[in-house]
């Protein structure tokens, strides 16, 4: 007679839930949870992430009105920061869809 855990394991497998899928989902959950929450990034962070130079970013990316709307600066001449999530998505969209 099958044990209770064997029955449960069989039900999971019949539903497509395998140990591999559970492991994969748990790994994704841990990776997502372990990522630091970064709300803003500055030009140095953008340079590191994209590997573009400051001049290139200033000339071709940061002056785009879609990016500019997420730019904040406390005072004229002060440090500029951008809201990270929407600007990173926009960077990806610009590069992948508008560049040849």
């Amino acid at each position: 007679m099958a044990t209770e855990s064997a029955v449960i394991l069989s039900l999971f497998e019949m539903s497509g839930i395998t140990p591999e899928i559970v492991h994969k989902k748990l790994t994704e959950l841990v990776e997502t949870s372990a990522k630091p929450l970064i709300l803003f990034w500055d030009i140095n962070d953008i340079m590191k992430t994209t590997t573009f130079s400051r001049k290139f970013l200033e000339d071709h990316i940061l002056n785009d009105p879609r990016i500019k709307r997420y730019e904040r600066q406390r005072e004229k001449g002060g440090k500029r920061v951008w809201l990270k999530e929407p600007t990173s998505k926009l960077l990806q969209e610009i590069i992948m869809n508008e560049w040849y």
Side-chain angles (χ1 to χ4, degrees), residues 1-91:
M1 184 163 194
T3 64
E4 186 177 317
S5 60
V7 170
I8 292 171
L9 183 59
S10 294
L11 287 172
F12 280 159
E13 287 178 353
M14 289 183 342
S15 299
I17 301 171
T18 64
E20 294 79 21
I21 290 174
V22 171
H23 182 336
K24 180 182 175 191
K25 291 295 181 185
L26 285 174
T27 302
E28 289 172 4
L29 180 63
V30 167
E31 288 174 358
T32 302
S33 299
K35 266 200 290 191
L37 178 61
I38 299 172
L39 297 176
F40 296 94
W41 57 349
D42 64 10
I43 193 163
N44 294 323
D45 297 325
I46 299 171
M47 286 168 48
K48 284 181 211 167
T49 303
T50 62
T51 69
F52 297 139
S53 70
R54 177 182 294 266
K55 178 160 178 36
F56 183 87
L57 287 170
E58 294 283 1
D59 293 346
H60 302 284
I61 302 289
L62 300 179
N63 63 1
D64 187 303
R66 296 169 292 178
I67 299 283
K68 278 217 133 338
R69 83 175 161 190
Y70 296 109
E71 179 183 323
R72 295 296 182 268
Q73 189 174 23
R74 184 170 171 102
E75 57 196 31
K76 188 170 171 75
K79 182 176 183 168
R80 297 176 300 162
V81 295
W82 292 263
L83 202 53
K84 186 173 189 308
E85 186 177 337
T87 55
S88 63
K89 286 181 182 175
L90 277 169
L91 278 167

